[in-house]
């Protein structure tokens, strides 16, 4: 089995750098359009379909199968579109404090009101830019100095339109096993909203004592969960 990692809003693939060395198996961290190796794409033009197609393109380029598909935060709305594109390749879905609004609603409709106010304040000219102090408050509450520097150093501009585009959750209807990692100290996507998301997708739940960037602050614990799922395996999706 292989791991495919989908980052959240305002980050690129490098946010996974401290987790990847701890994973057992081939691992691919995808840069969604507008950042990293896809920084040539104007972030103001990016759609949710563009994000899913970028993930699918990387998977096909590397010919990965038996995938544990991991989505962090905003990755929760990219994952179902990827599932719809590559159903025969995905063995398990893992949602790490992932945002899953009601179908056909917006991500902005699902997040905490205080967080939504901060996000909306960072939108201008079709670009969402999270300020340093907002990022520190939402993302670094459980991070030490080194971890905080790593997190803040990875923040990038994102597409404002992605936050307001209606989501398509049809992919979650596929019979793919899924696990939701609840982060009990998350100030960006609070536990009560995580609970709604995990219920919405019918996931098994694992709770970790960490803030939103658990992939940085407790990578060993996150890796242990992912490696257990990897070693346990599961049956491929029957698409016939």
């Amino acid at each position: 089995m292989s791991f495919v990692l989908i980052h959240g809003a305002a980050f690129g693939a490098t946010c996974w750098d401290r987790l990847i060395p701890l994973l057992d198996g081939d691992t691919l961290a995808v840069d969604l359009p507008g950042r990293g190796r896809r920084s040539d794409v104007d972030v103001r033009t990016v759609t949710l379909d563009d994000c899913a197609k970028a993930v699918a393109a990387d998977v096909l380029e590397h010919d990965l199968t038996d995938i544990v598909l991991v989505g962090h935060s905003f990755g929760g709305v990219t994952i179902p579109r990827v599932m719809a594109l590559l159903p025969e390749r995905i063995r398990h879905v893992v949602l790490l404090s992932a945002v899953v609004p009601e179908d056909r609603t917006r991500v902005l409709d699902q997040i905490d009101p205080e967080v939504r106010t901060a996000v909306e304040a960072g939108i201008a000219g079709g670009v969402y830019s999270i300020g340093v102090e907002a990022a520190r408050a939402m993302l670094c509450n459980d991070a030490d100095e080194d971890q905080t520097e790593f997190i803040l150093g990875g923040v990038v501009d994102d597409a404002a339109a992605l936050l307001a585009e209606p989501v398509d959750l049809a992919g979650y209807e596929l019979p793919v096993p899924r696990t939701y990692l609840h982060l009990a100290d998350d100030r960006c996507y609070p536990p009560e909203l995580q609970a709604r998301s995990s219920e919405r997708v019918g996931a098994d739940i694992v709770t970790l004592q960490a803030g939103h960037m658990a992939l940085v602050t407790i990578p060993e614990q996150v890796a242990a969960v992912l490696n257990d799922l990897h070693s346990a395996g599961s049956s491929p999706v029957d698409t016939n």
Side-chain angles (χ1 to χ4, degrees), residues 27-90:
T27 303
L28 170 66
V30 177
D31 273 314
L32 298 181
R35 69 217 78 196
R37 74 182 190 91
R38 291 188 167 93
S39 59
D40 58 317
V41 177
D42 184 346
V43 74
R44 294 170 297 179
T45 70
V46 178
T47 67
L48 288 173
D49 272 344
D50 293 334
C51 294
K53 288 175 181 176
V55 178
D58 282 1
V59 168
L60 295 174
E61 178 184 346
H62 292 83
D63 194 24
L64 299 179
T65 58
D66 296 342
I67 292 168
V68 178
L69 186 63
V70 184
H72 175 237
S73 191
F74 187 81
V77 297
T78 302
I79 276 185
R81 293 174 186 251
V82 176
M83 292 171 71
L85 291 174
L86 303 172
E88 73 286 353
R89 292 177 182 256
I90 300 170

Side-chain angles (χ1 to χ4, degrees), residues 23-227:
L23 297 177
D24 300 334
D26 296 332
T27 303
L28 170 66
V30 177
D31 273 314
L32 298 181
R35 69 217 78 196
R37 74 182 190 91
R38 291 188 167 93
S39 59
D40 58 317
V41 177
D42 184 346
V43 74
R44 294 170 297 179
T45 70
V46 178
T47 67
L48 288 173
D49 272 344
D50 293 334
C51 294
K53 288 175 181 176
V55 178
D58 282 1
V59 168
L60 295 174
E61 178 184 346
H62 292 83
D63 194 24
L64 299 179
T65 58
D66 296 342
I67 292 168
V68 178
L69 186 63
V70 184
H72 175 237
S73 191
F74 187 81
V77 297
T78 302
I79 276 185
R81 293 174 186 251
V82 176
M83 292 171 71
L85 291 174
L86 303 172
E88 73 286 353
R89 292 177 182 256
I90 300 170
R91 292 291 187 103
H92 204 104
V93 165
V94 179
L95 300 156
L96 176 58
S97 191
V99 180
V100 185
E102 291 185 11
D103 196 26
R104 302 299 173 180
T105 66
R106 312 176 305 160
V107 167
L108 279 173
D109 296 328
Q110 174 68 4
I111 58 180
D112 180 84
E114 291 187 9
V115 173
R116 182 168 61 244
T117 298
V119 168
E120 290 175 335
I123 294 175
V127 176
Y128 166 52
S129 299
I130 183 172
V132 172
E133 292 311 311
R136 190 187 304 274
M138 291 190 291
L139 306 175
C140 304
N141 57 293
D142 64 329
D144 62 26
E145 184 176 346
D146 173 69
Q147 292 165 344
T148 297
E149 183 178 355
F150 178 84
I151 292 167
L152 297 180
V155 171
V156 298
D157 288 345
D158 214 328
L162 296 178
L163 301 169
E165 181 182 343
V167 302
D168 181 354
L169 303 185
Y172 282 129
E173 297 175 5
L174 292 168
V176 179
R178 59 208 70 181
T179 301
Y180 197 106
L181 273 60
H182 278 204
L183 303 180
D185 300 324
D186 196 332
R187 293 183 183 173
C188 182
Y189 197 54
E192 60 270 21
L193 295 182
Q194 296 175 52
R196 294 180 196 172
S197 289
S198 57
E199 182 178 2
R200 199 163 280 139
V201 300
D204 295 331
I205 295 172
V206 175
T207 300
L208 300 175
Q209 297 297 318
H212 195 64
M213 297 301 291
L215 60 164
V216 177
T217 58
I218 56 165
E220 295 85 0
Q221 293 181 49
V222 175
V225 175
L226 297 180
N227 288 333

